[in-house]
Amino acid sequence: MSKTIDNLKAAFAGESQANRKYLAFARKADEEGHKQVARLFRAAAHAETVHALNHFKAAGEIKSTAENLQEAVAGENYEVASMYPPMLEEAEASGEKAAARTFRWAWEVEKIHEALYRKAAELLGKEMPETDYYVCPVCGYTHEGPFDGRCPVCNALGEKFERIV
Ligand code: FE2
Ligand code: FE2
Ligand code: FE2
């Protein structure tokens, strides 16, 4: 069974990547006017999400929400403390500006995710105020509650933020 668990985790990672890759390809196909190809990419992307979620569930990776929040805190903390700093440093040192920018944006936003998850873990089961979240479509900055002004991470206009209900 342990080999199968490893296989499920590997397949989950692959299907998850295929989903995002196809969504990126769909966006490009739309830009080039290939509407039907864009639809095909989006349809396959959605199916890869179904596969990814099925693999993840079969691997036994979905626990209680209290445990899932701890897992989420740990994952975000790993990115903030260990993963992104050396990646950002190497990209900056080698003058790879686009890479440095995307690493910096992600690093800044993962700090916010970690804090939001920690807060949610503390409030779980208590009176948690209900609010929508807003996400910057450029850098992923994640904001709790109504937002206006400019994105504090990438300076995009707040009116472009996507509301998550
Ligand atoms: Fe698939
Ligand atoms: Fe994150
Ligand atoms: Fe942003």
Side-chain angles (χ1 to χ4, degrees), residues 100-138:
R101 188 173 73 165
T102 187
F103 287 148
R104 177 174 296 284
W105 283 350
W107 186 44
E108 294 298 337
V109 175
E110 311 314 357
K111 294 175 195 172
I112 294 159
H113 290 169
E114 182 182 345
L116 290 171
Y117 281 139
R118 282 189 192 282
K119 190 168 108 179
E122 280 168 27
L123 291 175
L124 191 68
K126 299 173 194 154
E127 279 296 300
M128 204 168 163
E130 272 199 41
T131 181
D132 296 337
Y133 292 91
Y134 290 80
V135 175
C136 175
V138 178

